[in-house]
Amino acid sequence: MYRRTILAMTTASVFALGFSTAHAADVAEGDTLAEKQVFSYRLLDQFPTLDPQLNEETAGSHVLRQIMEGLMTQDADGNLRPGVATGFEASEGNTVYTFTLRDTAKWSNGDPVVAQDFVNAWRRAADPATASPYAWYVELTQMKNAAEIVAGKMDPSELGVEAVDDHTLKVTLTQPVPYFPAMTSYATLSPIHMPTVEEFGSDWTAPENYVGNGAYTLKELALNEYFTLVKSPTYWDADSVIIEEVTGLVINDVNQALTRYESGEYDMLEPLPAGTYPRLKTERPDEAKSVPRLCSYYYAINQRPDSQPELRDPRVRQALSYAVDRNVIVDQILQGGELPGYNFAHAATAGFEMPEIEYAGWTQAERDAKAKELIAEAGVEDLELKLIYNTDENHKKIATVLSQMWKQKLGITVTLSNMEWSTYLDVRRGGDFDLARVAWCGDYNEASTFLDILTTDQEQNDGKWSNAEYDKVIAASKTSDHPATEYKAAEQILSDDMGIIPVYHYANTFLLDPAIKGFPMNNVENNWYVKDFYRVAD
């Protein structure tokens, strides 16, 4: 069901192998369109930025997907489809990709979207001067000289991307990446309108200044309250876009969010309050949804040189993980179809071969007994830990239950600290924690999107776990004919050393007004484009 055609592209090709060419809303036979075409949804947190090269989180990605368009986008099943590019050719063993850009693509100010706009954006993302939290993503693409540029050793102009002409973009990689086209659908590799950035600086993302190339434009933005998008008349496929206006409401309290959804204030609520899915599925069978979601929920363990020495002992890390009863989390707290997590990469990841993690096969009683044994062996007594999480009732419930498990089973005292999203990101990045709630959602559907972020020098590795053998295996996966073998080995190393504490693999539980049609239920990455939606009449 979740096959991604791009993963089959291992030889030279020109949009072959089941490439999707569907665009925008496809109204089903018999559906009558509502007179007012609007869509609204709830956000848990205010996105910190709408600069595609500075964005690093999911809420911003959802908005950027509407107002910016990359070379590729995705259809309802997660297959690639043309975005600004109408096609591409892979050559020289998947190390050179040549994209053909459509000549009808325009920016919201009417300027044409050209190949140089992508060159500028990708150089900008890699440039240390930009301080992009996703510079590592550019390096991950294996673009020529990306690693050296990100490290500040080469000029961004040396990046392996070239505007052959206005409608031809050539990308050169240092090694084969058959899924590279899929990576271009992520926000970091969106184009940029440099004249706007140069004119307004950091203020270019204000609604009055914003120039995008997506199906919608940014009309209003009230921090921590709401934002509004409107249909872009300059979008190349505007005639097929049906929804005219999009509104997002920032509501931190998930229970208040549910109440406001039930009162009809907006069309989509995700995620649901923990434990409410079974009831809502019974009460609202046409609205309550649970689908696989390519995200894994875990706790980072601070292993920096100045961290608590106990946490640098793998026996203590193992004990903390073993003592977590994941079935309590997924069956009693969440109740939305989530899976207990004993490894990092999501079970639904395309082509991923799940390793045999030994402790996953134990009973919880066996895990608890081993955890106590390890803590005693490590000589740990009266350990006090600080656990941070961003404000959300679900995160609070999980953190509270886990802290109780650690106290009752291991005698470890855990102090909980919650904070709003932007502050939390800064604190986590700065390492002011012992344990930190983290969720990682795949930027593309391949196991490396998870496993790469735990390598030693990876910026997203907030716990700073470091394992030379893990790094070696991940490096080998980049040139492997069957990287699933290396991914399985990496997961085993991660489990043996317990670099993180896996908790669960996501399911996406949400409520959607039945009047909204076109939502991509089978897109495991939860990449949705409002241009594909439409509202039917009551």
Side-chain angles (χ1 to χ4, degrees):
M1 179 182 296
Y2 302 108
R3 177 180 61 86
R4 290 289 301 280
T5 55
I6 194 63
L7 295 179
M9 295 184 181
T10 57
T11 58
S13 59
V14 184
F15 269 3
L17 307 172
F19 198 91
S20 172
T21 56
H23 290 292
D26 184 12
V27 180
E29 185 176 353
D31 280 351
T32 301
L33 294 177
E35 182 176 346
K36 191 174 183 180
Q37 290 295 321
V38 296
F39 169 71
S40 55
Y41 73 104
R42 172 260 186 167
L43 296 81
L44 168 63
D45 297 297
Q46 172 66 56
F47 42 80
T49 182
L50 287 179
D51 184 322
Q53 277 76 58
L54 295 181
N55 176 70
E56 62 174 320
E57 45 78 60
T58 302
S61 294
H62 280 314
V63 182
L64 283 164
R65 206 172 294 118
Q66 320 313 323
I67 61 178
M68 285 287 189
E69 183 169 87
L71 296 171
M72 299 285 113
T73 65
Q74 293 180 9
D75 68 11
D77 294 318
N79 297 311
L80 282 186
R81 64 179 178 183
V84 174
T86 59
F88 66 85
E89 179 180 353
S91 59
E92 299 185 32
N94 288 329
T95 61
V96 175
Y97 288 88
T98 304
F99 294 84
T100 302
L101 278 57
R102 62 181 77 251
D103 58 13
T104 53
K106 294 183 182 297
W107 291 100
S108 54
N109 69 350
D111 289 350
V113 178
V114 295
Q116 189 62 41
D117 295 328
F118 287 91
V119 174
N120 292 339
W122 297 5
R123 288 175 177 173
R124 181 173 181 259
D127 189 346
T130 305
S132 170
Y134 254 56
W136 63 270
Y137 189 79
V138 183
E139 184 175 347
L140 187 63
T141 66
Q142 305 301 318
M143 267 189 275
K144 182 180 178 181
N145 298 327
E148 292 79 6
I149 294 168
V150 171
K153 298 177 180 178
M154 292 185 72
D155 190 83
S157 63
E158 299 297 317
L159 188 64
V161 59
E162 172 191 358
V164 178
D165 56 43
D166 280 354
H167 302 113
T168 307
L169 184 74
K170 182 180 179 181
V171 185
T172 302
L173 311 182
T174 57
Q175 58 192 46
V177 180
Y179 50 86
F180 174 77
M183 298 183 74
T184 70
S185 67
Y186 192 70
T188 303
L189 299 187
S190 296
I192 199 79
H193 190 261
M194 282 303 294
T196 297
V197 177
E198 291 168 351
E199 180 178 358
F200 297 106
S202 60
D203 291 332
W204 83 266
T205 57
E208 63 271 19
N209 302 330
Y210 205 98
V211 175
N213 71 319
Y216 296 89
T217 60
L218 181 62
K219 179 182 178 182
E220 294 180 277
L221 173 60
L223 287 176
N224 296 308
E225 294 184 32
Y226 70 92
F227 71 87
T228 305
L229 313 178
V230 293
K231 178 179 172 180
S232 173
T234 64
Y235 180 59
W236 65 268
D237 200 24
D239 289 345
S240 301
V241 177
I242 295 177
I243 296 290
E244 297 280 348
E245 185 172 288
V246 181
T247 301
L249 302 171
V250 179
I251 308 171
N252 296 131
D253 187 306
V254 70
N255 294 302
Q256 180 191 115
L258 177 57
T259 298
R260 292 171 66 173
Y261 173 88
E262 292 175 322
S263 69
E265 188 171 343
Y266 44 88
D267 302 311
M268 187 172 76
L269 167 63
E270 69 169 358
L272 299 180
T276 61
Y277 176 74
R279 172 181 67 81
L280 291 169
K281 186 63 178 175
T282 299
E283 296 175 357
R284 297 171 175 266
D286 295 333
E287 299 170 67
K289 312 292 182 183
S290 177
V291 297
R293 175 76 171 97
L294 202 67
C295 301
S296 293
Y297 192 107
Y298 66 100
Y299 281 91
I301 307 170
N302 193 343
Q303 294 163 65
R304 290 168 166 81
D306 60 349
S307 67
Q308 296 213 46
E310 291 89 345
L311 295 180
R312 299 197 294 275
D313 186 331
R315 295 170 298 183
V316 176
R317 300 195 297 269
Q318 289 169 347
L320 287 167
S321 181
Y322 294 166
V324 174
D325 190 337
R326 292 153 175 87
N327 289 326
V328 169
I329 304 300
V330 300
D331 295 337
Q332 297 181 31
I333 296 179
L334 299 173
Q335 302 183 51
E338 297 82 3
L339 299 173
Y342 301 96
N343 72 299
F344 189 24
H346 195 291
T349 305
F352 179 61
E353 299 175 6
M354 185 65 71
E356 293 183 8
I357 303 298
E358 185 179 6
Y359 79 101
W362 300 348
T363 65
Q364 188 56 47
E366 290 171 329
R367 285 191 283 267
D368 291 345
K370 185 64 175 177
K372 293 175 182 177
E373 177 186 323
L374 288 166
I375 283 292
E377 186 180 305
V380 172
E381 295 181 357
D382 302 322
L383 180 60
E384 297 184 4
L385 301 176
K386 174 185 176 182
L387 186 159
I388 65 170
Y389 63 94
N390 56 296
T391 304
D392 175 70
E393 191 63 27
N394 291 1
H395 301 330
K396 180 180 179 180
K397 287 181 179 179
I398 293 172
T400 300
V401 168
L402 264 60
S403 66
Q404 293 170 347
M405 291 177 181
W406 290 324
K407 179 65 175 179
Q408 294 167 4
K409 299 175 183 181
L410 305 177
I412 295 175
T413 301
V414 179
T415 300
L416 306 183
S417 178
N418 76 292
M419 51 201 75
E420 62 88 20
W421 182 236
S422 294
T423 301
Y424 163 75
L425 288 176
D426 290 339
V427 171
R428 194 180 79 188
R429 194 179 297 116
D432 186 14
F433 66 89
D434 297 314
L435 301 169
R437 182 213 75 85
V438 190
W440 187 259
C441 296
D443 298 322
Y444 51 95
N445 195 352
E446 209 263 353
S448 61
T449 190
F450 291 97
L451 300 175
D452 282 354
I453 72 164
L454 295 180
T455 53
T456 296
D457 296 327
Q458 174 52 252
E459 185 174 350
Q460 298 294 328
N461 181 3
D462 289 316
K464 301 307 177 188
W465 173 68
S466 177
N467 184 293
E469 187 62 25
Y470 183 91
D471 292 347
K472 181 179 177 181
V473 170
I474 291 298
S477 73
K478 304 306 177 186
T479 56
S480 174
D481 292 334
H482 186 65
T485 300
E486 283 78 20
Y487 298 150
K488 182 182 289 187
E491 287 275 19
Q492 193 63 60
I493 295 167
L494 177 61
S495 177
D496 291 344
D497 201 35
M498 208 60 73
I500 61 172
I501 301 173
V503 180
Y504 70 87
H505 298 307
Y506 275 50
N508 192 25
T509 58
F510 60 103
L511 289 167
L512 181 66
D513 189 326
I516 299 298
K517 304 296 184 182
F519 190 88
M521 299 296 177
N522 291 335
N523 188 315
V524 72
E525 294 175 65
N526 194 31
N527 287 341
W528 42 268
Y529 302 81
V530 180
K531 69 176 186 176
D532 299 331
F533 298 179
Y534 61 95
R535 178 181 289 277
V536 296
D538 295 333

